[in-house]
Amino acid sequence: MSGPMRRLTDGIDADPVLVEIVEGYLASVEQEVETAIGRTSRSPMIRDAHDYRAGIHDRLLRKLTGRSYSALVHPVVRDYPLETMRPGDVYFHNDVYLSEGGIGHLPDLCVTAPVFHDDGAGDGPRVVAFVQAFGHHDDIGGTVPGSMPSRATSVFEEGLMVPPIKLWDRGVPNEAALKIMTRNSRMPDSLAADLDAECAACLMGARRMAELFGRYGRAGVEACFDAILEQTTRTFQREVLSKIPAGTYVWEDYAEHDGVDEPKLHVQRITLTKVDGEASDDATGATGASDATGATGVSAATGTEAGPRLIIDFTGTGPQARGPINHAGDYADGVFLKKWLAPILRNLADSPERMAELDVNEGVVPLIEMRFPPKGTLLTPEFPAPTNARTFVILRMLGVLAGAVAKAVDGRMPADQETIRYTGVYGADADGRPYLMREVLGGGSGGRYYADGEDTIHVVPDSRNLPTEFSESRFPFVVEQLGLAIDSGGPGRYRGGLGYEKHIRMLRDASFMSIADRSILSCWGVRGGRAGRPFQVTIDPGGAGEREVDALADDEPVRAGEVIRIRTTGGGGWGDPLDRPFGDVLRDIRWHKVSFEGARADYGVVVGGTVDDPTVDEPASDELRAQMRHARADDAPFFDRGPGYPRLSGGRTSAPVDRH
């Protein structure tokens, strides 16, 4: 909740050496839990694509680890008070609307194991922490394989909803609940194996955490927890928030399609206010906040302790969509969204190396106040609005915050990126057995004020595309090409990262599915940089049946022998592409990142020779660049949204908020 962070200990100073030990121990346990899940799970999405996360939380429900985001413990404690928990218990939930904002869509299944310690006071073991894991699973029911129907108009179409339940009771699995869940899945064996892997890994992590308390004592360890989080708060105040001038900055961006209505601009807006010094008392409370005893109600934000803080106001965000692009974020004072958005702020650190060192744990929560619009928007949907494609909102919010901060710091933030979308095929193999292949292909990240964007990255740390050898041995298709999509990165002084280009030739008739955004709108460029290339799927390219597939598709037929060509998004460019050095353009040509045509059209560089030995005609390039500069409008906006924006904006090439 907003306001000074609650502490586990009072009047106890943490041993600085022990703080270092505990901080390293937490990171080690988190990694051990994730490694155990990866080695013992069964579904391709968990085992091979690594679309899962672990987290460690204290008994005040604060996330202690900061390597990546995780779900929340709040809904478990809301329904099962700490005093009712016993060693060996494991809790499960995936209900979007009963997860306090920690779960975005039903395929994200979450397991939580409490950690116990007996301090010898005579009242037996008590809960001192939690180990939690959640990941994206293959199928949890619903109207289409994969439980992500692009045309859903209700959450009831998306799969089985499970509120927090006790899945293991004192070490004994709840067989009835497991039977119900696996019966509702098209991939029951994979689901059962994945759940078993995640429960076992969390219980193992709980044992490791209990060993930490046993070794150093509860008071000493909890003092370290307080110190770790308070250090994060101070570090972000000093090294990150101090870089944002006090004031108010407004920006907005858009999802393009909800799967049901015709494409249009689904507005997502942030009004960012930077406050220095003492915080004011007035704020907008949010329903659903839970404390460590399970109490739930309306909480009013009361400001943070002295020092800089941010107010993020989502007023102006568009109405909830009929289709599944909504995200239920207005719970528990938006604590999940605070930790989800805060990594963007790390780009303000003094160097990339320092940025990588900054963890985002519960210590960022007191520094950010969330103000949500009333119920009924993309970010405050009303049950039972569908949410399976909610990535269109929460990923876009990362970019909206980056854009608002960019206006405050003269563009010293990365350009836009869209690094997650779901594509796949399903059908029956040669033996008549049903299969589902789905993967999360990444895209290019945005150019930065000091470097090009990265190619083919994924927003989930350590995630990856499915290995070709694995895919071809298990599914009836051949991967004929997997590489970088040439010219996909947004032109700039620093180019946007490139997306994938993947060609899949089907060996049997099948159905193609896609849950993707940025097929009309592009990843925006900033400070003179231009937008990247959008997402595109073509079936049978160059053949008699060539056709474009909508980015939101559940069951596009693909015949045996046809090729599916997938091109993912390129990141936006940063800075004027006509300022990019000739040598950088030549290197991009040699590395097959920019074509000869792209060099001329995007960078004003006239290149001859071969790909392996390109040469620049410098006089011709200087003349071409001068012509291109002369032809430009004098009042170009600070952000470039690309050629798709006018299609949905009524012909406008930029939004009013795009001016610096």
Side-chain angles (χ1 to χ4, degrees), residues 371-410:
R371 296 185 179 181
F372 292 98
K375 284 290 187 182
T377 72
L378 290 169
L379 205 57
T380 60
E382 295 186 272
F383 180 84
T387 67
N388 75 78
R390 96 294 188 207
T391 52
F392 295 8
V393 169
I394 61 171
L395 284 178
R396 191 71 64 254
M397 282 299 178
L398 293 170
V400 178
L401 178 59
V405 175
K407 294 178 76 170
V409 298
D410 196 29

Side-chain angles (χ1 to χ4, degrees), residues 243-306:
K243 306 290 180 60
I244 303 175
T248 297
Y249 313 93
V250 183
W251 205 62
E252 68 184 33
D253 205 357
Y254 319 95
E256 64 192 25
H257 197 342
D258 73 346
V260 176
D261 292 328
E262 290 299 311
K264 64 180 182 180
L265 298 179
H266 294 269
V267 180
Q268 293 152 69
R269 173 179 282 234
I270 283 178
T271 299
L272 176 70
T273 301
K274 162 67 180 309
V275 178
D276 287 329
E278 292 287 348
S280 62
D281 289 335
D282 64 341
T284 301
T287 61
S290 304
D291 63 20
T293 64
T296 303
V298 177
S299 68
T302 57
T304 69
E305 54 202 14

Side-chain angles (χ1 to χ4, degrees), residues 249-555:
Y249 313 93
V250 183
W251 205 62
E252 68 184 33
D253 205 357
Y254 319 95
E256 64 192 25
H257 197 342
D258 73 346
V260 176
D261 292 328
E262 290 299 311
K264 64 180 182 180
L265 298 179
H266 294 269
V267 180
Q268 293 152 69
R269 173 179 282 234
I270 283 178
T271 299
L272 176 70
T273 301
K274 162 67 180 309
V275 178
D276 287 329
E278 292 287 348
S280 62
D281 289 335
D282 64 341
T284 301
T287 61
S290 304
D291 63 20
T293 64
T296 303
V298 177
S299 68
T302 57
T304 69
E305 54 202 14
R309 68 183 182 109
L310 300 177
I311 301 172
I312 298 178
D313 190 336
F314 299 103
T315 300
T317 293
Q320 73 181 48
R322 287 210 300 153
I325 65 172
N326 307 289
H327 177 72
D330 57 327
Y331 293 86
D333 286 337
V335 68
F336 174 82
L337 278 178
K338 292 179 183 182
K339 290 178 284 188
W340 170 261
L341 293 173
I344 284 292
L345 301 173
R346 297 186 302 178
N347 287 285
L348 296 172
D350 288 337
S351 68
E353 293 77 18
R354 180 55 178 159
M355 178 178 69
E357 295 172 349
L358 298 181
D359 281 346
V360 176
N361 54 37
E362 207 77 15
V364 303
V365 169
L367 301 177
I368 303 173
E369 177 186 319
M370 296 288 193
R371 296 185 179 181
F372 292 98
K375 284 290 187 182
T377 72
L378 290 169
L379 205 57
T380 60
E382 295 186 272
F383 180 84
T387 67
N388 75 78
R390 96 294 188 207
T391 52
F392 295 8
V393 169
I394 61 171
L395 284 178
R396 191 71 64 254
M397 282 299 178
L398 293 170
V400 178
L401 178 59
V405 175
K407 294 178 76 170
V409 298
D410 196 29
R412 288 174 66 87
M413 288 288 286
D416 191 31
Q417 62 183 26
E418 176 70 15
T419 61
I420 185 171
R421 78 277 305 143
Y422 304 87
T423 60
V425 292
Y426 62 92
D429 63 18
D431 297 322
R433 295 173 300 191
Y435 72 89
L436 167 65
M437 186 288 293
R438 184 176 57 184
E439 64 180 332
V440 188
L441 282 175
S445 70
R448 298 156 285 182
Y449 66 88
Y450 55 87
D452 294 343
E454 298 291 340
D455 304 321
T456 60
I457 67 167
H458 193 312
V459 71
V460 179
D462 297 332
S463 292
R464 60 201 69 178
N465 62 290
L466 293 181
T468 295
E469 296 80 6
F470 164 81
S471 298
E472 293 181 337
S473 67
R474 184 163 182 175
F475 306 117
F477 59 71
V478 175
V479 179
E480 294 189 341
Q481 178 178 322
L482 177 61
L484 299 178
I486 193 168
D487 289 330
S488 59
R493 167 61 184 86
Y494 295 107
R495 175 184 42 73
L498 273 61
Y500 278 105
E501 179 163 333
K502 187 168 188 174
H503 296 194
I504 301 171
R505 185 177 297 276
M506 299 306 303
L507 302 180
R508 298 181 60 83
D509 291 353
S511 295
F512 172 79
M513 63 170 60
S514 173
I515 297 289
D517 201 20
R518 293 301 203 204
S519 65
I520 301 172
L521 303 176
S522 300
C523 295
W524 44 264
V526 66
R527 214 171 184 271
R530 290 167 53 192
R533 297 281 178 87
F535 175 80
Q536 182 186 45
V537 175
T538 307
I539 294 180
D540 197 27
E546 179 174 343
R547 58 202 183 274
E548 298 292 316
V549 178
D550 195 277
L552 282 164
D554 291 335
D555 51 7

Side-chain angles (χ1 to χ4, degrees), residues 15 53 78 110 326 397 407 461 470 549 560 563 602 608:
D15 182 334
R53 297 269 61 83
R78 177 197 66 213
C110 183
N326 307 289
M397 282 299 178
K407 294 178 76 170
F470 164 81
V549 178
V563 169
D602 295 334

Side-chain angles (χ1 to χ4, degrees), residues 56 64 92 139 217 255 258 282 369 381 473 476 493 525 556 613 617:
I56 300 173
L64 301 168
F92 171 91
D139 190 277
D258 73 346
D282 64 341
E369 177 186 319
S473 67
R493 167 61 184 86
E556 177 68 27
D613 188 23
D617 185 334

